[in-house]
Amino acid sequence: DQQVKQNSPSLSVQEGRISILNCDYTNSMFDYFLWYKKYPAEGPTFLISISSIKDKNEDGRFTVFLNKSAKHLSLHIVPSQPGDSAVYFCAASAGNQGGKLIFGQGTELSVKP
Amino acid sequence: SQTIHQWPATLVQPVGSPLSLECTVEGTSNPNLYWYRQAAGRGLQLLFYSVGIGQISSEVPQNLSASRPQDRQFILSSKKLLLSDSGFYLCAWSVGGALYEQYFGPGTRLTVT
């Protein structure tokens, strides 16, 4: 059972435009959500997170939106840059699971100059 | 500042051979430690996590085992590797409970031949 789903395996965006990466989850007990960025042959790096008590968190070019009723979160990157090209994973955790993260399958973002 | 080390970076092992991957964390005490695997074209799968020395929780039944002999050392092992054990193995750490980010090491690329 895939509790965290990223239904788009890939996304291609023009430099300077907005990139929107989506993530859906099924477990209503999830209360913390994170986005990670991963380059090939490297470990994921933490990008941004959001608690379930918020619906938006912004950090520079990156904004995460959370819609609890729809069990959906998204990551917006504005403006997109070629260096943003990577695989993006969303992850979720529940307070009663000791900090374990459940990851989606990832979306490969390609930002074209 | 905290750093996490993994070695080796790459490893090619024959089927049936043993495995030992090591992960160490510096700059923090009593971290939560995690082992993940990323199979080709797949997301990150949590294999083991540990909240303290000698405390290991297994997430999926498999051919692997984990040990935590010291506070900041986490070891992933196998007595006999299978072809299906090939993948990218990632160690991660966090502090606190569910609402804290996990930080990943550089990973080990394991190819079982």
Side-chain angles (χ1 to χ4, degrees):
Chain A
D1 177 31
Q2 190 77 28
Q3 296 186 66
V4 179
K5 297 181 183 179
Q6 293 175 257
N7 292 317
S8 298
S10 62
L11 175 67
S12 183
V13 172
Q14 207 67 30
E15 181 179 6
R17 306 295 291 269
I18 184 171
S19 295
I20 301 177
L21 298 108
N22 294 303
C23 180
D24 297 293
Y25 62 96
T26 58
N27 189 342
S28 58
M29 296 301 292
F30 288 147
D31 54 10
Y32 196 60
F33 304 89
L34 308 91
W35 284 93
Y36 284 83
K37 175 181 180 180
K38 184 182 182 300
Y39 293 116
E42 294 184 9
T45 54
F46 169 72
L47 265 181
I48 192 169
S49 61
I50 188 167
S51 167
S52 60
I53 62 173
K54 295 185 175 181
D55 54 18
K56 177 183 175 181
N57 188 25
E58 188 173 358
D59 184 3
R61 296 186 299 114
F62 301 91
T63 303
V64 56
F65 295 92
L66 175 62
N67 183 334
K68 287 186 298 249
S69 60
K71 293 190 178 68
H72 177 83
L73 67 154
S74 60
L75 174 68
H76 293 209
I77 306 174
V78 184
S80 301
Q81 300 173 354
D84 296 329
S85 297
V87 177
Y88 289 78
F89 290 97
C90 68
S93 75
N96 62 353
Q97 293 186 6
K100 293 189 296 180
L101 293 181
I102 307 299
F103 282 85
Q105 309 96 306
T107 296
E108 183 172 8
L109 173 66
S110 175
V111 180
K112 301 189 182 303
Chain B
S1 64
Q2 301 89 355
T3 55
I4 179 169
H5 304 279
Q6 278 187 253
W7 64 92
T10 60
L11 189 60
V12 180
Q13 292 283 97
V15 168
S17 64
L19 173 74
S20 180
L21 302 181
E22 188 164 344
C23 169
T24 59
V25 180
E26 296 177 357
T28 186
S29 296
N30 196 29
N32 301 321
L33 296 173
Y34 309 85
W35 278 112
Y36 289 87
R37 175 171 59 201
Q38 184 185 20
R42 306 283 295 275
L44 299 172
Q45 181 185 34
L46 178 64
L47 302 176
F48 300 95
Y49 73 97
S50 170
V51 298
I53 295 175
Q55 300 179 60
I56 309 294
S57 294
S58 174
E59 288 299 294
V60 291
Q62 60 210 317
N63 186 41
L64 303 168
S65 62
S67 62
R68 184 170 178 174
Q70 300 180 40
D71 180 45
R72 289 170 289 176
Q73 184 185 29
F74 206 21
I75 297 172
L76 184 69
S77 304
S78 174
K79 292 182 179 178
K80 290 185 178 182
L81 284 168
L82 306 172
L83 285 174
S84 58
D85 292 324
S86 293
F88 192 53
Y89 288 83
L90 291 154
C91 181
W93 69 272
S94 71
V95 291
L99 302 187
Y100 289 88
E101 298 80 24
Q102 292 182 17
Y103 297 93
F104 286 80
T108 295
R109 170 70 62 192
L110 171 66
T111 303
V112 182
T113 60

